[in-house]
């Protein structure tokens, strides 16, 4: 089975930085897109940033210029560098991967368990 394990969340003051990591493990042939989503209390889950296997990135308007997504394909790991954090960035951050487990199989979606990011004002 495939697992996505996030790390790096925590409590930080407004204006500070955090770096999230998400490592995929298990039977993996290839990983297509990897993304970070977040869900604040009382709100729906929203896309924060995504990155393809070729390195193409996209960001939510609310985080452009402050967050940077990157990935290490050799380690099956995606990162989210978060700078200039704001109170409204407080949320549970979830890692997502669309990947192929075996050559010739269909792709499937996987989610991490989430990591809490709390920004104090």
């Amino acid at each position: 089975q495939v697992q996505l394990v996030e790390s790096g969340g925590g409590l930080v003051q407004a204006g500070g930085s955090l770096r999230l990591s998400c490592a995929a493990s298990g039977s993996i042939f290839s990983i297509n897109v990897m993304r970070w989503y977040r869900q604040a209390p009382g709100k729906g889950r929203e896309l924060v940033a995504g990155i393809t296997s070729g390195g193409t990135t996209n960001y939510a308007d609310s985080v452009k210029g402050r967050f940077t997504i990157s990935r290490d394909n050799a380690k099956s790991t995606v990162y989210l560098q978060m700078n200039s954090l704001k109170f409204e960035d407080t949320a549970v951050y979830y890692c997502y991967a669309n990947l192929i487990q075996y050559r010739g199989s269909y792709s499937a979606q996987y989610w991490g368990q989430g990591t809490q990011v709390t920004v104090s004002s």
Side-chain angles (χ1 to χ4, degrees), residues 39-120:
Q39 186 165 17
K43 296 187 177 181
R45 192 170 295 190
E46 65 171 353
L47 175 66
V48 176
I51 184 167
T52 67
S53 57
T56 300
T57 60
N58 65 288
Y59 296 92
D61 287 343
S62 59
V63 306
K64 281 181 181 177
R66 299 188 299 120
F67 290 10
T68 302
I69 189 170
S70 61
R71 65 190 276 178
D72 184 333
N73 290 329
K75 296 181 179 180
S76 298
T77 299
V78 64
Y79 306 95
L80 186 67
Q81 178 67 43
M82 304 185 294
N83 299 328
S84 302
L85 282 161
K86 304 176 181 179
F87 175 75
E88 49 265 41
D89 293 319
T90 296
V92 177
Y93 284 70
Y94 296 92
C95 175
Y96 163 97
N98 180 284
L99 60 85
I100 297 172
Q101 275 199 275
Y102 308 102
R103 182 190 293 271
S105 65
Y106 292 103
S107 63
Q109 302 178 88
Y110 295 87
W111 292 87
Q113 80 287 353
T115 185
Q116 177 70 46
V117 171
T118 303
V119 184
S120 62

Side-chain angles (χ1 to χ4, degrees), residues 4-19:
L4 301 182
V5 179
E6 300 117 331
S7 60
L11 173 65
V12 64
Q13 287 189 330
S17 298
L18 281 175
R19 189 192 193 209

